[in-house]
Amino acid sequence: MQSANMLLRKIVRSSVLPFAAQHGMKKGLFPLSRTLSLSLCLKQDKSCEPSEKLDLDEWKKVMKSGLQEEVSETVSEPKELSSLAAARETLEMWRLAGRAVPEKISEEQLKTFMECPSKSAKKKYLKYLHLKELHKKNDKRKMEEKRERRLEAQDEASKTDETKKSSFVCLWSSAMDKAYNWRAAQSMIFGQPLVFDMSYEKEMSVREVTNTVRQLVLSESCNRRSVDPFHIHFCNFKDDSLYEREFIKHYREAWNKLLITVTDQCYTEIFPKDKLIYLTADSPKVMKTFDHDKIYIVGSMVDKSIKTGVSLARAKRLGLETAALPLEKYLLWSTGAKNLTLDQMMHILLTLKDTADWKKALEFVPRRKYCGFVNKPVKDLKKTLDLINTFKLGKARQEVEKQFAKKYPKKYKLK
């Protein structure tokens, strides 16, 4: 018995343990715990009981299963690669045979192709990929053709513009730009101030701020091209605000070269309060004439939800005089709110400053909001408006004309 144990110990030390160290312990085939337990069993004293024998059959099974796992791991990858290569070869053969096969196919598409259950399913899948590839090629070709046509049209337009332009036109445009800039520079010294209140950023959304800045850009260009421009002040203007970022998007490098005054101070700190008039549609006081000695304030706000009373409340908190445009006095108002855009307000104020004519100034009000100009009091205007509304509701034209003739023998002249 002792000689048998000695012989088994020699066999394990000479053959099994080096094999396990080289192969089994690296690949996980012969775990470390099993080797330790085996070595402990081998190092036991000679006085071991006969019942504690080493089960060689179980050990052989473990070694065989480990070797099979190693062989399966090493063989699985080449099998997958070989199957992909075989699939690519079949695709090339089908392409040479003239079938609808895509020119380029990815590994994922190739795997889905291999997973198709039948040959007809594989053909349909390849046809789908082929048609998809053709659509992409056609779209790319159309985009290139469209780009070429656009470039050709631009070249032709530039050639025609070059032929149309002359040195006199170029000199005239540059001279006009210089004249406009000179007027704007003079207005900063001698012109009447016009204040835009830039403190409404929190009351607006990002889209409304963007629309506000667009209207202010139009107002500035309109003012610069006028005969007697205002000296524009952007008051309560904060650095790195959304207003400033939108202005930089529009003007870019020209933002710092604009002939306007931009300040973070309030207009009450720059001008005396008795000269300030806040223009708001919610004011109970109606503006009768344009005063050249006053300083008018316009709220820089585009409010699609029409929050009434915001600018009026701000003017009251600051203790300023307010005024509204006399729209109902001169216009037969039809529909819509009486809030105008900033560029429309600029056109109206410039026209009043130059001509003092309300009819000419109020021509910049959108035509969809009123029916015409009337030279009668407000009460009579409301009666006429009621008649027009009844006509819009669908009553017969003759009945409306009869009612109008009875109440107003001398018809109002609508211009």
mmCIF file of all heavy atoms in Angstrom, residues 301-331:
data_model
loop_
_atom_site.group_PDB
_atom_site.id
_atom_site.type_symbol
_atom_site.label_atom_id
_atom_site.label_comp_id
_atom_site.label_asym_id
_atom_site.label_seq_id
_atom_site.Cartn_x
_atom_site.Cartn_y
_atom_site.Cartn_z
ATOM 1 N N MET A 301 -40.726 94.903 -25.717
ATOM 2 C CA MET A 301 -41.358 93.647 -25.338
ATOM 3 C C MET A 301 -42.289 93.191 -26.454
ATOM 4 O O MET A 301 -43.065 93.977 -26.974
ATOM 5 C CB MET A 301 -42.141 93.811 -24.029
ATOM 6 C CG MET A 301 -42.804 92.531 -23.546
ATOM 7 S SD MET A 301 -43.568 92.682 -21.927
ATOM 8 C CE MET A 301 -44.807 93.921 -22.268
ATOM 9 N N VAL A 302 -42.166 91.914 -26.805
ATOM 10 C CA VAL A 302 -43.111 91.261 -27.708
ATOM 11 C C VAL A 302 -43.860 90.241 -26.871
ATOM 12 O O VAL A 302 -43.290 89.273 -26.378
ATOM 13 C CB VAL A 302 -42.391 90.580 -28.889
ATOM 14 C CG1 VAL A 302 -43.368 89.753 -29.703
ATOM 15 C CG2 VAL A 302 -41.730 91.629 -29.762
ATOM 16 N N ASP A 303 -45.137 90.470 -26.678
ATOM 17 C CA ASP A 303 -45.941 89.659 -25.770
ATOM 18 C C ASP A 303 -47.064 89.011 -26.568
ATOM 19 O O ASP A 303 -48.065 89.661 -26.877
ATOM 20 C CB ASP A 303 -46.498 90.533 -24.644
ATOM 21 C CG ASP A 303 -47.210 89.710 -23.594
ATOM 22 O OD1 ASP A 303 -47.047 88.482 -23.633
ATOM 23 O OD2 ASP A 303 -47.921 90.274 -22.766
ATOM 24 N N LYS A 304 -46.902 87.739 -26.922
ATOM 25 C CA LYS A 304 -47.934 87.054 -27.708
ATOM 26 C C LYS A 304 -49.159 86.713 -26.878
ATOM 27 O O LYS A 304 -50.252 86.596 -27.406
ATOM 28 C CB LYS A 304 -47.339 85.793 -28.328
ATOM 29 C CG LYS A 304 -46.311 86.096 -29.413
ATOM 30 C CD LYS A 304 -45.927 84.859 -30.166
ATOM 31 C CE LYS A 304 -44.997 85.211 -31.315
ATOM 32 N NZ LYS A 304 -44.597 84.021 -32.091
ATOM 33 N N SER A 305 -48.958 86.516 -25.581
ATOM 34 C CA SER A 305 -50.108 86.229 -24.724
ATOM 35 C C SER A 305 -50.853 87.490 -24.302
ATOM 36 O O SER A 305 -51.890 87.406 -23.644
ATOM 37 C CB SER A 305 -49.638 85.485 -23.470
ATOM 38 O OG SER A 305 -48.684 86.246 -22.757
ATOM 39 N N ILE A 306 -50.322 88.682 -24.658
ATOM 40 C CA ILE A 306 -50.940 89.984 -24.396
ATOM 41 C C ILE A 306 -51.234 90.146 -22.896
ATOM 42 O O ILE A 306 -52.370 90.091 -22.445
ATOM 43 C CB ILE A 306 -52.228 90.195 -25.240
ATOM 44 C CG1 ILE A 306 -51.928 89.902 -26.711
ATOM 45 C CG2 ILE A 306 -52.741 91.606 -25.096
ATOM 46 C CD1 ILE A 306 -53.127 90.019 -27.603
ATOM 47 N N LYS A 307 -50.167 90.298 -22.144
ATOM 48 C CA LYS A 307 -50.296 90.592 -20.713
ATOM 49 C C LYS A 307 -50.542 92.093 -20.562
ATOM 50 O O LYS A 307 -49.626 92.893 -20.691
ATOM 51 C CB LYS A 307 -49.032 90.180 -19.971
ATOM 52 C CG LYS A 307 -48.721 88.706 -20.064
ATOM 53 C CD LYS A 307 -47.403 88.399 -19.392
ATOM 54 C CE LYS A 307 -47.039 86.931 -19.547
ATOM 55 N NZ LYS A 307 -45.717 86.638 -18.959
ATOM 56 N N THR A 308 -51.755 92.465 -20.320
ATOM 57 C CA THR A 308 -52.106 93.878 -20.258
ATOM 58 C C THR A 308 -51.619 94.493 -18.952
ATOM 59 O O THR A 308 -51.630 93.846 -17.899
ATOM 60 C CB THR A 308 -53.628 94.049 -20.363
ATOM 61 O OG1 THR A 308 -54.249 93.309 -19.309
ATOM 62 C CG2 THR A 308 -54.136 93.536 -21.700
ATOM 63 N N GLY A 309 -51.213 95.749 -19.048
ATOM 64 C CA GLY A 309 -50.886 96.516 -17.856
ATOM 65 C C GLY A 309 -49.475 96.361 -17.347
ATOM 66 O O GLY A 309 -49.148 96.924 -16.294
ATOM 67 N N VAL A 310 -48.592 95.629 -18.033
ATOM 68 C CA VAL A 310 -47.228 95.426 -17.525
ATOM 69 C C VAL A 310 -46.431 96.727 -17.617
ATOM 70 O O VAL A 310 -45.827 97.181 -16.644
ATOM 71 C CB VAL A 310 -46.532 94.295 -18.303
ATOM 72 C CG1 VAL A 310 -45.094 94.129 -17.811
ATOM 73 C CG2 VAL A 310 -47.291 92.991 -18.137
ATOM 74 N N SER A 311 -46.407 97.343 -18.800
ATOM 75 C CA SER A 311 -45.660 98.591 -18.967
ATOM 76 C C SER A 311 -46.317 99.746 -18.213
ATOM 77 O O SER A 311 -45.629 100.627 -17.678
ATOM 78 C CB SER A 311 -45.541 98.935 -20.456
ATOM 79 O OG SER A 311 -46.826 99.004 -21.051
ATOM 80 N N LEU A 312 -47.662 99.756 -18.145
ATOM 81 C CA LEU A 312 -48.349 100.814 -17.406
ATOM 82 C C LEU A 312 -48.025 100.734 -15.912
ATOM 83 O O LEU A 312 -47.797 101.759 -15.256
ATOM 84 C CB LEU A 312 -49.856 100.698 -17.628
ATOM 85 C CG LEU A 312 -50.732 101.737 -16.922
ATOM 86 C CD1 LEU A 312 -50.403 103.137 -17.417
ATOM 87 C CD2 LEU A 312 -52.215 101.425 -17.125
ATOM 88 N N ALA A 313 -47.976 99.520 -15.364
ATOM 89 C CA ALA A 313 -47.628 99.367 -13.952
ATOM 90 C C ALA A 313 -46.199 99.803 -13.688
ATOM 91 O O ALA A 313 -45.916 100.435 -12.648
ATOM 92 C CB ALA A 313 -47.821 97.907 -13.540
ATOM 93 N N ARG A 314 -45.284 99.512 -14.620
ATOM 94 C CA ARG A 314 -43.893 99.934 -14.435
ATOM 95 C C ARG A 314 -43.779 101.449 -14.459
ATOM 96 O O ARG A 314 -43.050 102.050 -13.664
ATOM 97 C CB ARG A 314 -43.027 99.310 -15.522
ATOM 98 C CG ARG A 314 -41.553 99.664 -15.392
ATOM 99 C CD ARG A 314 -40.683 98.864 -16.315
ATOM 100 N NE ARG A 314 -39.290 99.245 -16.174
ATOM 101 C CZ ARG A 314 -38.491 98.863 -15.198
ATOM 102 N NH1 ARG A 314 -38.953 98.071 -14.252
ATOM 103 N NH2 ARG A 314 -37.242 99.249 -15.148
ATOM 104 N N ALA A 315 -44.506 102.101 -15.382
ATOM 105 C CA ALA A 315 -44.458 103.566 -15.445
ATOM 106 C C ALA A 315 -45.049 104.194 -14.185
ATOM 107 O O ALA A 315 -44.537 105.203 -13.683
ATOM 108 C CB ALA A 315 -45.216 104.037 -16.686
ATOM 109 N N LYS A 316 -46.108 103.593 -13.650
ATOM 110 C CA LYS A 316 -46.699 104.133 -12.421
ATOM 111 C C LYS A 316 -45.762 103.971 -11.234
ATOM 112 O O LYS A 316 -45.687 104.847 -10.367
ATOM 113 C CB LYS A 316 -48.033 103.451 -12.147
ATOM 114 C CG LYS A 316 -49.158 103.920 -13.052
ATOM 115 C CD LYS A 316 -50.476 103.268 -12.669
ATOM 116 C CE LYS A 316 -51.621 103.797 -13.530
ATOM 117 N NZ LYS A 316 -52.920 103.163 -13.157
ATOM 118 N N ARG A 317 -45.057 102.842 -11.162
ATOM 119 C CA ARG A 317 -44.110 102.656 -10.061
ATOM 120 C C ARG A 317 -43.007 103.694 -10.089
ATOM 121 O O ARG A 317 -42.534 104.149 -9.044
ATOM 122 C CB ARG A 317 -43.498 101.249 -10.140
ATOM 123 C CG ARG A 317 -44.399 100.143 -9.648
ATOM 124 C CD ARG A 317 -43.605 98.872 -9.362
ATOM 125 N NE ARG A 317 -42.883 98.413 -10.547
ATOM 126 C CZ ARG A 317 -43.366 97.550 -11.421
ATOM 127 N NH1 ARG A 317 -44.604 97.075 -11.274
ATOM 128 N NH2 ARG A 317 -42.646 97.162 -12.442
ATOM 129 N N LEU A 318 -42.595 104.075 -11.294
ATOM 130 C CA LEU A 318 -41.530 105.073 -11.422
ATOM 131 C C LEU A 318 -42.069 106.501 -11.378
ATOM 132 O O LEU A 318 -41.280 107.449 -11.395
ATOM 133 C CB LEU A 318 -40.763 104.850 -12.727
ATOM 134 C CG LEU A 318 -40.008 103.518 -12.836
ATOM 135 C CD1 LEU A 318 -39.442 103.342 -14.237
ATOM 136 C CD2 LEU A 318 -38.886 103.456 -11.811
ATOM 137 N N GLY A 319 -43.394 106.663 -11.347
ATOM 138 C CA GLY A 319 -43.983 107.999 -11.292
ATOM 139 C C GLY A 319 -43.841 108.780 -12.578
ATOM 140 O O GLY A 319 -43.599 110.002 -12.550
ATOM 141 N N LEU A 320 -44.021 108.103 -13.711
ATOM 142 C CA LEU A 320 -43.849 108.742 -15.014
ATOM 143 C C LEU A 320 -45.201 108.989 -15.666
ATOM 144 O O LEU A 320 -46.196 108.309 -15.395
ATOM 145 C CB LEU A 320 -43.002 107.854 -15.933
ATOM 146 C CG LEU A 320 -41.592 107.518 -15.445
ATOM 147 C CD1 LEU A 320 -40.905 106.590 -16.430
ATOM 148 C CD2 LEU A 320 -40.759 108.788 -15.253
ATOM 149 N N GLU A 321 -45.208 109.967 -16.562
ATOM 150 C CA GLU A 321 -46.397 110.260 -17.358
ATOM 151 C C GLU A 321 -46.528 109.223 -18.462
ATOM 152 O O GLU A 321 -45.541 108.785 -19.054
ATOM 153 C CB GLU A 321 -46.282 111.660 -17.953
ATOM 154 C CG GLU A 321 -47.506 112.124 -18.728
ATOM 155 C CD GLU A 321 -47.308 113.500 -19.350
ATOM 156 O OE1 GLU A 321 -46.268 114.134 -19.066
ATOM 157 O OE2 GLU A 321 -48.194 113.907 -20.131
ATOM 158 N N THR A 322 -47.767 108.835 -18.759
ATOM 159 C CA THR A 322 -48.024 107.827 -19.789
ATOM 160 C C THR A 322 -48.922 108.416 -20.873
ATOM 161 O O THR A 322 -49.622 109.411 -20.664
ATOM 162 C CB THR A 322 -48.694 106.580 -19.193
ATOM 163 O OG1 THR A 322 -49.952 106.956 -18.619
ATOM 164 C CG2 THR A 322 -47.812 105.941 -18.142
ATOM 165 N N ALA A 323 -48.906 107.756 -22.029
ATOM 166 C CA ALA A 323 -49.742 108.191 -23.154
ATOM 167 C C ALA A 323 -49.938 107.020 -24.103
ATOM 168 O O ALA A 323 -49.091 106.125 -24.202
ATOM 169 C CB ALA A 323 -49.114 109.364 -23.888
ATOM 170 N N ALA A 324 -51.075 107.027 -24.812
ATOM 171 C CA ALA A 324 -51.392 106.016 -25.822
ATOM 172 C C ALA A 324 -51.656 106.697 -27.149
ATOM 173 O O ALA A 324 -52.080 107.860 -27.200
ATOM 174 C CB ALA A 324 -52.608 105.197 -25.396
ATOM 175 N N LEU A 325 -51.400 105.999 -28.237
ATOM 176 C CA LEU A 325 -51.648 106.561 -29.560
ATOM 177 C C LEU A 325 -53.158 106.693 -29.801
ATOM 178 O O LEU A 325 -53.935 105.810 -29.414
ATOM 179 C CB LEU A 325 -51.030 105.674 -30.640
ATOM 180 C CG LEU A 325 -49.506 105.519 -30.612
ATOM 181 C CD1 LEU A 325 -49.065 104.614 -31.742
ATOM 182 C CD2 LEU A 325 -48.812 106.874 -30.713
ATOM 183 N N PRO A 326 -53.606 107.758 -30.477
ATOM 184 C CA PRO A 326 -55.055 107.968 -30.713
ATOM 185 C C PRO A 326 -55.560 107.128 -31.878
ATOM 186 O O PRO A 326 -55.994 107.652 -32.919
ATOM 187 C CB PRO A 326 -55.135 109.463 -31.009
ATOM 188 C CG PRO A 326 -53.821 109.789 -31.615
ATOM 189 C CD PRO A 326 -52.803 108.910 -30.957
ATOM 190 N N LEU A 327 -55.546 105.819 -31.694
ATOM 191 C CA LEU A 327 -55.941 104.926 -32.794
ATOM 192 C C LEU A 327 -57.440 105.000 -33.063
ATOM 193 O O LEU A 327 -57.872 105.028 -34.220
ATOM 194 C CB LEU A 327 -55.527 103.484 -32.459
ATOM 195 C CG LEU A 327 -54.022 103.256 -32.256
ATOM 196 C CD1 LEU A 327 -53.760 101.811 -31.859
ATOM 197 C CD2 LEU A 327 -53.238 103.610 -33.506
ATOM 198 N N GLU A 328 -58.255 105.038 -32.006
ATOM 199 C CA GLU A 328 -59.709 105.085 -32.200
ATOM 200 C C GLU A 328 -60.180 106.437 -32.720
ATOM 201 O O GLU A 328 -61.270 106.537 -33.292
ATOM 202 C CB GLU A 328 -60.411 104.759 -30.884
ATOM 203 C CG GLU A 328 -60.237 103.322 -30.437
ATOM 204 C CD GLU A 328 -61.061 103.028 -29.200
ATOM 205 O OE1 GLU A 328 -61.595 103.987 -28.603
ATOM 206 O OE2 GLU A 328 -61.167 101.842 -28.831
ATOM 207 N N LYS A 329 -59.385 107.458 -32.525
ATOM 208 C CA LYS A 329 -59.792 108.787 -32.991
ATOM 209 C C LYS A 329 -59.659 108.919 -34.504
ATOM 210 O O LYS A 329 -60.461 109.617 -35.153
ATOM 211 C CB LYS A 329 -58.951 109.843 -32.290
ATOM 212 C CG LYS A 329 -59.339 111.266 -32.624
ATOM 213 C CD LYS A 329 -58.485 112.266 -31.854
ATOM 214 C CE LYS A 329 -58.873 113.696 -32.203
ATOM 215 N NZ LYS A 329 -58.049 114.687 -31.469
ATOM 216 N N TYR A 330 -58.670 108.277 -35.071
ATOM 217 C CA TYR A 330 -58.405 108.445 -36.499
ATOM 218 C C TYR A 330 -58.684 107.186 -37.315
ATOM 219 O O TYR A 330 -58.761 107.265 -38.546
ATOM 220 C CB TYR A 330 -56.936 108.844 -36.713
ATOM 221 C CG TYR A 330 -56.607 110.209 -36.172
ATOM 222 C CD1 TYR A 330 -56.068 110.362 -34.897
ATOM 223 C CD2 TYR A 330 -56.855 111.358 -36.918
ATOM 224 C CE1 TYR A 330 -55.765 111.614 -34.389
ATOM 225 C CE2 TYR A 330 -56.565 112.622 -36.423
ATOM 226 C CZ TYR A 330 -56.018 112.740 -35.154
ATOM 227 O OH TYR A 330 -55.740 113.995 -34.658
ATOM 228 N N LEU A 331 -58.803 106.043 -36.662
ATOM 229 C CA LEU A 331 -58.993 104.796 -37.392
ATOM 230 C C LEU A 331 -60.317 104.144 -37.012
ATOM 231 O O LEU A 331 -60.724 104.194 -35.853
ATOM 232 C CB LEU A 331 -57.850 103.818 -37.092
ATOM 233 C CG LEU A 331 -56.439 104.255 -37.485
ATOM 234 C CD1 LEU A 331 -55.440 103.207 -37.041
ATOM 235 C CD2 LEU A 331 -56.329 104.494 -38.971
#
